[in-house]
């Protein structure tokens, strides 16, 4: 195994990463990153490489310490050559990593592989689960148990102990073809298995389905939510918000539209929105109550736009544009209750742009990294418990890239939109005035309470007006301003009666 090019860079976190590193298996074979997890405040990257002996894939775990030094590599293969799409990884937080690998088309007898890896001892077990047919698995440890979700044309949910012994499983009777996304969420009392696929009767429609069970494996419900649009809609993102709400994102195969929203436990939309453009990434911050969506006009574009959306109401709080020469890869990474990172790879000039928008939509961090090699693709971006941002990327024929940013906030956060309108006095008691910047084309103003109820709705004719607030209860409200081109800008209003 070879380790390439560890570079200690300037400590100025506003401009450069703390360090960058590149990894290769040998001078001619390079790992492709699949996912990234945290193990004791340091990154472990799950990678694949092509196995020329059988035309399949081998898998590797690269453990790097927080200073960027390669601590060790664990490599494993399988009895059959597995497809890299059917891979999942997670950690239990005490140094153990769980990896599943499978062939996605179900042609091999040994369909599932559970590898338990200890950071100091290496692999403890390597068990085949046959013939479970775990396709596109995702694993999540809870109460010393590992939950897997998958199946070839069926929806199977498994619960195993950490030695790989199956404690329970069930199979859903509804068959789906071409599943391309599966994820499982565990709460204190429930298991939520979420995925997508296309039925034979509706081959041009995307389906989100959710299987809900208790943690003993007793089936409760199966929920289906359909998106019918031109082209094939594919579930791209899902995140459980609570025991009753699920955030989702659909990407259209024509790459000209996407659908985002929140569903309740019965599969009914709390809010939903169709957006023209290509969905690059989506994320939620449940602590701050924000849904982040990152769009570009096309799959390869010179800009990406971040939308910050209220999770409960679906109201767009604001939007922010990041310009590059050309990009086909961009990611989001949430720093919970702090903000969100927008990471954009400029595939024309070979550099990363990294912005962090705090929970008020202000830029409080900027980072830039110029590559020594012409990378084209980003894979993972995650914020670890030390608040550092780790990013993986690759290109064919190049070593895998790992970048670490230690984000020191800017002394004065930047805000391009703060001068668009003023809300004063704030806090207020009997009235509040709202004044808009000259030339700003405002269509409408809404006022929401924090539960998401619209309590005021104004159609505007002037650039300044007054709201009587005596009848409102003390509390925090959101003033949502809508421009004629559909952009939303929001400010917080505090009403405080004496």
């Amino acid at each position: 195994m070879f380790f390439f090019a560890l570079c200690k860079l300037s400590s100025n976190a506003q401009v450069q990463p703390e360090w960058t590193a590149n990894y290769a298996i040998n001078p001619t074979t390079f790992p492709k990153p699949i996912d990234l997890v945290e193990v004791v405040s340091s990154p472990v990257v799950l990678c694949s490489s092509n196995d020329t002996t059988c035309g399949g894939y081998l898998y590797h775990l690269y453990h790097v310490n927080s200073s960027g030094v390669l601590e060790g590599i664990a490599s494993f293969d399988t009895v059959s050559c597995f497809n890299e799409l059917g891979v999942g990884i997670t950690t239990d937080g005490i140094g153990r990593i769980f990896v599943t690998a499978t062939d996605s088309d179900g042609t091999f007898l040994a369909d599932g592989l559970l590898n338990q890896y200890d950071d100091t001892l290496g692999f403890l077990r390597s068990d085949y689960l046959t013939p479970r047919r775990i396709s596109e698995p995702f694993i999540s440890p809870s109460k010393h148990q590992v939950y897997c979700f998958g199946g070839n044309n069926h929806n199977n949910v498994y619960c195993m102990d950490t030695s790989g012994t199956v404690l329970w499983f069930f199979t859903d009777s509804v068959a789906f073809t071409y599943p391309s996304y599966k994820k499982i969420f565990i709460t204190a009392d429930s298991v939520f298995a979420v995925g997508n696929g296309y039925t034979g009767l509706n081959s041009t429609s995307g389906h989100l389905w959710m299987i809900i069970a208790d943690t003993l494996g007793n089936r409760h419900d199966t929920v289906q939510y359909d998106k019918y649009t031109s082209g094939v809609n594919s579930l791209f993102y899902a995140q459980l918000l609570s025991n009753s709400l699920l955030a989702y994102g659909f990407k259209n195969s024509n790459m000209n539209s996407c659908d985002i929203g929140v569903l309740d436990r019965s599969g009914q939309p709390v809010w939903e929105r169709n957006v023209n453009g290509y969905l690059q990434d989506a994320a939620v911050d449940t602590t701050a109550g924000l849904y982040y969506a990152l769009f570009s006009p096309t799959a390869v574009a010179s800009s990406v736009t971040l939308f910050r959306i209220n999770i409960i109401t679906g109201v767009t709080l604001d939007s922010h544009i990041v310009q590059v020469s050309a990009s086909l890869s961009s990611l989001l990474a949430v720093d919970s209750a702090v903000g969100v990172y927008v990471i954009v790879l400029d595939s024309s000039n070979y550099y990363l742009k990294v912005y962090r928008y705090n929970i008020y939509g202000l830029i409080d961090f900027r980072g830039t990294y110029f590559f020594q090699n012409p990378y084209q693709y980003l894979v993972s971006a995650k914020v670890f418990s030390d608040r550092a941002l780790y990013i993986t990327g690759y290109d064919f024929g190049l070593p895998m890239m790992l970048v670490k940013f230690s984000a020191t906030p800017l002394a004065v956060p930047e805000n391009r939109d703060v001068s668009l309108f003023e809300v004063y006095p704030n806090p207020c008691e009997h009235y509040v005035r709202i004044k808009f910047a000259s030339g700003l084309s405002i269509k409408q103003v809404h006022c929401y309470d924090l539960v998401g109820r619209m309590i005021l709705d104004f159609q505007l004719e002037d650039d300044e007006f007054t709201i009587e607030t005596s009848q409102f209860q003390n509390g925090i409200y959101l003033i949502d301003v809508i421009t004629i081109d559909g952009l939303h800008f929001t400010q917080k209003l505090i009403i405080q009666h004496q």
Side-chain angles (χ1 to χ4, degrees), residues 391-459:
I391 305 165
T392 63
Y394 78 100
D395 202 350
F396 299 103
L398 293 175
M400 179 187 69
M401 173 184 69
L402 180 62
V403 178
K404 177 185 179 181
F405 283 95
S406 294
T408 302
L410 299 176
V412 180
E414 303 173 12
N415 183 10
R416 297 177 301 173
D417 307 320
V418 71
S419 61
L420 290 178
F421 69 99
E422 297 178 76
V423 177
Y424 63 95
N426 195 5
C428 68
E429 184 175 6
H430 301 296
Y431 69 91
V432 63
R433 289 191 178 94
I434 300 179
K435 182 178 181 180
F436 301 100
S438 177
L440 188 64
S441 300
I442 300 298
K443 177 182 178 182
Q444 206 164 15
V445 175
H446 296 155
C447 183
Y448 295 90
D449 62 19
L450 289 187
V451 183
R453 294 182 296 241
M454 183 188 299
I455 60 175
L456 285 176
D457 179 10
F458 288 91
Q459 299 286 339

Side-chain angles (χ1 to χ4, degrees), residues 236-237 251 278-283 292-295 330-333:
F236 175 77
Y237 174 78
K251 182 185 295 185
Y278 183 80
L279 182 60
Q280 291 278 354
D281 204 359
Y292 299 106
L294 191 64
F295 299 101
S330 55
L331 295 173
L332 295 174

Side-chain angles (χ1 to χ4, degrees), residues 322-333:
V322 178
Q323 297 281 355
V324 291
S325 295
S327 177
L328 51 78
S329 190
S330 55
L331 295 173
L332 295 174

Side-chain angles (χ1 to χ4, degrees), residues 10 22 88 102 140 149 171 190 207 210 259 269 273-274 298 302-303 307 332 349 391 452 462 479:
S10 166
N22 300 320
T102 182
S140 176
F149 177 37
T171 300
S190 298
H207 301 266
M210 179 166 58
D259 296 274
R273 184 176 306 165
N274 179 265
T298 57
S302 60
S303 68
F307 287 85
L332 295 174
N349 296 313
I391 305 165
D462 300 317
I479 304 295

Side-chain angles (χ1 to χ4, degrees), residues 238-371:
Q239 178 63 50
L240 191 69
L241 305 179
S242 65
N243 252 350
S244 59
L245 297 177
L246 177 81
Y248 70 87
F250 275 93
K251 182 185 295 185
N252 190 273
S253 63
N254 292 337
M255 298 184 181
N256 58 3
S257 69
C258 53
D259 296 274
I260 59 175
V262 171
L263 302 177
D264 64 19
R265 192 182 178 111
S266 66
Q268 296 301 309
V270 176
W271 61 266
E272 57 184 342
R273 184 176 306 165
N274 179 265
V275 181
N276 291 328
Y278 183 80
L279 182 60
Q280 291 278 354
D281 204 359
V284 298
D285 185 345
T286 55
T287 303
L290 294 171
Y291 184 115
Y292 299 106
L294 191 64
F295 299 101
S296 60
T298 57
V300 181
S302 60
S303 68
V304 294
T305 302
L306 170 70
F307 287 85
R308 301 188 325 118
I309 302 168
N310 184 293
I311 285 179
I312 303 301
T313 65
V315 172
T316 301
L317 305 181
D318 50 41
S319 60
H320 306 270
I321 298 175
V322 178
Q323 297 281 355
V324 291
S325 295
S327 177
L328 51 78
S329 190
S330 55
L331 295 173
L332 295 174
V334 171
D335 191 354
S336 182
V338 174
V340 64
Y341 287 94
V342 177
I343 304 104
V344 184
L345 189 154
D346 189 312
S347 55
S348 176
N349 296 313
Y350 310 129
Y351 69 91
L352 281 179
K353 270 189 175 182
V354 180
Y355 292 165
R356 186 173 69 187
Y357 295 87
N358 67 19
I359 58 174
Y360 304 107
L362 313 180
I363 296 175
D364 67 0
F365 171 80
R366 289 178 180 267
T368 304
Y369 168 53
F370 285 88
F371 309 133

Side-chain angles (χ1 to χ4, degrees), residues 31-316:
K32 177 182 176 182
I34 298 173
D35 204 354
L36 171 71
V37 293
E38 178 181 5
V39 177
V40 196
S41 299
S42 61
V44 172
V45 185
L46 174 64
C47 310
S48 69
S49 65
N50 188 263
D51 181 3
T52 56
T53 62
C54 65
Y57 294 88
L58 301 178
Y59 299 100
H60 318 273
L61 292 174
Y62 280 75
H63 179 202
V64 182
N65 68 22
S66 58
S67 299
V69 177
L70 183 65
E71 295 285 346
I73 302 172
S75 298
F76 60 96
D77 55 12
T78 59
V79 171
S80 301
C81 295
F82 285 38
N83 189 303
E84 66 171 351
L85 297 178
V87 178
I89 182 171
T90 194
T91 176
D92 62 2
I94 59 173
R96 290 183 300 179
I97 303 166
F98 300 88
V99 180
T100 58
T102 182
D103 64 300
S104 61
D105 59 8
T107 57
F108 299 115
L109 293 177
D111 296 294
L113 173 66
L114 173 67
N115 290 280
Q116 180 178 320
Y117 173 79
D118 185 278
D119 186 44
T120 57
L121 301 178
F123 282 104
L124 303 181
R125 291 183 63 89
S126 181
D127 286 342
Y128 286 96
L129 311 175
T130 56
R132 310 294 183 195
R133 295 199 179 283
I134 301 176
S135 176
E136 309 287 350
F138 182 88
I139 49 182
S140 176
S142 176
K143 300 178 181 178
H144 307 292
Q145 296 174 346
V146 179
Y147 295 87
C148 295
F149 177 37
N152 186 39
N153 293 346
H154 287 279
N155 311 327
N156 306 321
V157 178
Y158 300 91
C159 175
M160 294 168 283
D161 63 23
T162 53
S163 69
T165 301
V166 177
L167 303 178
W168 55 260
F169 78 96
F170 59 77
T171 300
D172 191 271
S173 60
V174 178
F176 280 79
T177 57
Y178 309 115
S180 59
Y181 183 97
K182 294 188 177 181
K183 198 165 185 179
I184 196 164
F185 304 100
I186 312 299
T187 65
D189 57 3
S190 298
V191 178
F192 293 79
V194 181
N196 84 307
Y198 316 113
T199 65
L201 295 177
N202 297 299
S203 60
T204 60
S205 65
H207 301 266
L208 178 152
W209 33 262
M210 179 166 58
I211 303 170
I212 305 172
D214 64 22
T215 52
L216 298 178
N218 299 316
R219 274 287 304 278
H220 291 325
D221 221 345
T222 299
V223 174
Q224 182 173 314
Y225 175 68
D226 300 323
K227 298 303 297 182
Y228 297 95
T229 60
S230 60
V232 176
N233 260 11
S234 178
L235 183 63
F236 175 77
Y237 174 78
Q239 178 63 50
L240 191 69
L241 305 179
S242 65
N243 252 350
S244 59
L245 297 177
L246 177 81
Y248 70 87
F250 275 93
K251 182 185 295 185
N252 190 273
S253 63
N254 292 337
M255 298 184 181
N256 58 3
S257 69
C258 53
D259 296 274
I260 59 175
V262 171
L263 302 177
D264 64 19
R265 192 182 178 111
S266 66
Q268 296 301 309
V270 176
W271 61 266
E272 57 184 342
R273 184 176 306 165
N274 179 265
V275 181
N276 291 328
Y278 183 80
L279 182 60
Q280 291 278 354
D281 204 359
V284 298
D285 185 345
T286 55
T287 303
L290 294 171
Y291 184 115
Y292 299 106
L294 191 64
F295 299 101
S296 60
T298 57
V300 181
S302 60
S303 68
V304 294
T305 302
L306 170 70
F307 287 85
R308 301 188 325 118
I309 302 168
N310 184 293
I311 285 179
I312 303 301
T313 65
V315 172
T316 301

